[in-house]
Amino acid sequence: MYSIKKEETLCEEKSQQGEQTKTGASETCSFCQRSKEEVGELAMGPGVSICKSCLEFGVEVLNAPAPNS
């Protein structure tokens, strides 16, 4: 996992040719496609990133009761 401190370091080291960090994640949320400037902090992992809003939505989905099958 990457901490916020690690993410800031990775963002500083981004490539001059694109907006990708050393993890390969872009500086947009992989789920809603909003930029870091629009959403604030991004949690970044290998090749992906997620904003707080999408993360909170994911938690709601996981905590929701399963539909009756």
Side-chain angles (χ1 to χ4, degrees), residues 29-53:
C29 176
S30 299
F31 297 86
C32 67
Q33 305 304 311
R34 290 183 292 168
S35 71
K36 182 178 179 178
E37 288 75 27
E38 293 177 82
V39 298
E41 298 289 334
L42 292 170
M44 301 177 81
V48 296
S49 54
I50 188 169
C51 69
K52 183 177 180 179
S53 176

Side-chain angles (χ1 to χ4, degrees), residues 50-66:
I50 188 169
C51 69
K52 183 177 180 179
S53 176
C54 288
L55 184 59
E56 289 172 348
F57 175 72
V59 169
E60 287 180 34
V61 169
L62 292 172
N63 289 332

Side-chain angles (χ1 to χ4, degrees), residues 5-20:
K5 191 89 156 160
K6 179 76 172 177
E7 181 229 335
E8 291 170 356
T9 302
L10 291 171
C11 289
E12 290 171 8
E13 296 174 355
K14 70 181 179 180
S15 164
Q16 296 296 323
Q17 296 177 340
E19 293 186 18
Q20 290 194 340

